[in-house]
Amino acid sequence: MDNLSYIAFICLTISIGLMLPLLEKKARRIMSFMLAGIFACLFVSELNGILLRAFHNNSFYVTTTITPLTEEIVKALPILYYAIVISDDRRELVTNAYAVGVGFAVLENIVILTQNIENVTIFWALARGFGAGLVHGMCTVAVGMGISYIKKRRKLFYSGTFALLSAAIIYHAIFNLLVQSQYQYIGILMPIVTYIPIVILNRGKVAKNSHSEG
């Protein structure tokens, strides 16, 4: 990444980091995972740059084959750690997972913006926000939701985690393939269509849990 990308990273992490002591416990946890997503993006960007050079700058091959693998695995690590060490509560995992995805997407969008500042448009911003930005959140949320179930079933934990990561990687790869093809509009709509049922499902679970607790 270039110097402007590191400047954006420093500005984001310092601003969010200084805010953490002023937040309540739940908000601090969510913002901490957003920071984890920003750090993940910085790390993966460097790793992907190395891999891109190793594959002779074949960006199409790398973005459809390699980057979905590296990005989804690194994004899932904070969620796996939280589920194994701290809590496997589904509501917490879902919010943590989406925060990681949002943090990753924020820095990634800034990086791409600084690298293509003369060519960006309003449509580009909408496509990045509703498309690429949402993909990162949805893939990580899917892993978080799945882990909350398989964590309680030890025999399925390892195979289930592998299956969840595989599904996220494949979904991400399909998105990257579509947005670089003549079907880019389908690619942009894909995460939006996925987002709606996940929100409905999650809100339904929250309402059910609140009713049972009451």
Side-chain angles (χ1 to χ4, degrees):
M1 297 197 297
D2 55 29
N3 289 334
L4 286 175
S5 302
Y6 281 103
I7 291 171
F9 170 79
I10 292 170
C11 289
L12 286 172
T13 53
I14 290 177
S15 299
I16 296 174
L18 292 175
M19 180 175 62
L20 293 180
L22 302 175
L23 299 175
E24 296 182 359
K25 183 178 180 180
K26 181 178 179 181
R28 185 165 59 248
R29 170 174 56 82
I30 294 172
M31 294 307 296
S32 295
F33 274 92
M34 186 173 177
L35 269 177
I38 295 172
F39 275 99
C41 183
L42 181 73
F43 173 78
V44 171
S45 295
E46 294 290 356
L47 177 60
N48 288 344
I50 295 171
L51 293 171
L52 181 62
R53 291 189 292 273
F55 286 94
H56 310 290
N57 294 317
N58 186 342
S59 60
F60 180 80
Y61 176 79
V62 170
T63 55
T64 56
T65 307
I66 305 298
T67 60
L69 181 69
T70 57
E71 292 176 4
E72 295 309 325
I73 290 176
V74 173
K75 284 191 302 173
L77 291 177
I79 308 306
L80 284 169
Y81 174 83
Y82 191 88
I84 295 171
V85 177
I86 301 175
S87 172
D88 59 4
D89 181 80
R90 187 191 58 79
R91 287 175 290 185
E92 292 182 8
L93 286 175
V94 168
T95 54
N96 294 348
Y98 195 74
V100 171
V102 168
F104 193 102
V106 166
L107 185 60
E108 182 182 73
N109 285 341
I110 292 175
V111 169
I112 296 175
L113 173 64
T114 57
Q115 293 174 342
N116 302 276
I117 190 66
E118 296 180 355
N119 300 317
V120 297
T121 63
I122 296 297
F123 174 77
W124 177 89
L126 291 171
R128 292 299 306 179
F130 287 104
L134 199 53
V135 160
H136 286 300
M138 289 299 94
C139 287
T140 316
V141 162
V143 173
M145 291 181 72
I147 288 174
S148 69
Y149 291 106
I150 63 175
K151 174 64 168 56
K152 298 177 176 65
R153 298 163 178 80
R154 295 187 178 276
K155 292 183 179 180
L156 297 177
F157 182 72
Y158 296 105
S159 59
T161 300
F162 177 78
L164 289 169
L165 287 173
S166 298
I169 291 166
I170 293 170
Y171 182 93
H172 194 156
I174 292 172
F175 170 82
N176 284 358
L177 179 63
L178 287 172
V179 295
Q180 296 180 81
S181 72
Q182 60 180 325
Y183 305 107
Q184 59 177 313
Y185 295 103
I186 298 177
I188 294 170
L189 288 173
M190 187 173 75
I192 301 173
V193 173
T194 308
Y195 173 78
I196 295 171
I198 287 181
V199 169
I200 294 173
L201 175 64
N202 188 57
R203 289 180 67 87
K205 291 288 186 179
V206 170
K208 182 179 179 180
N209 291 336
S210 299
H211 179 72
S212 61
E213 290 173 3

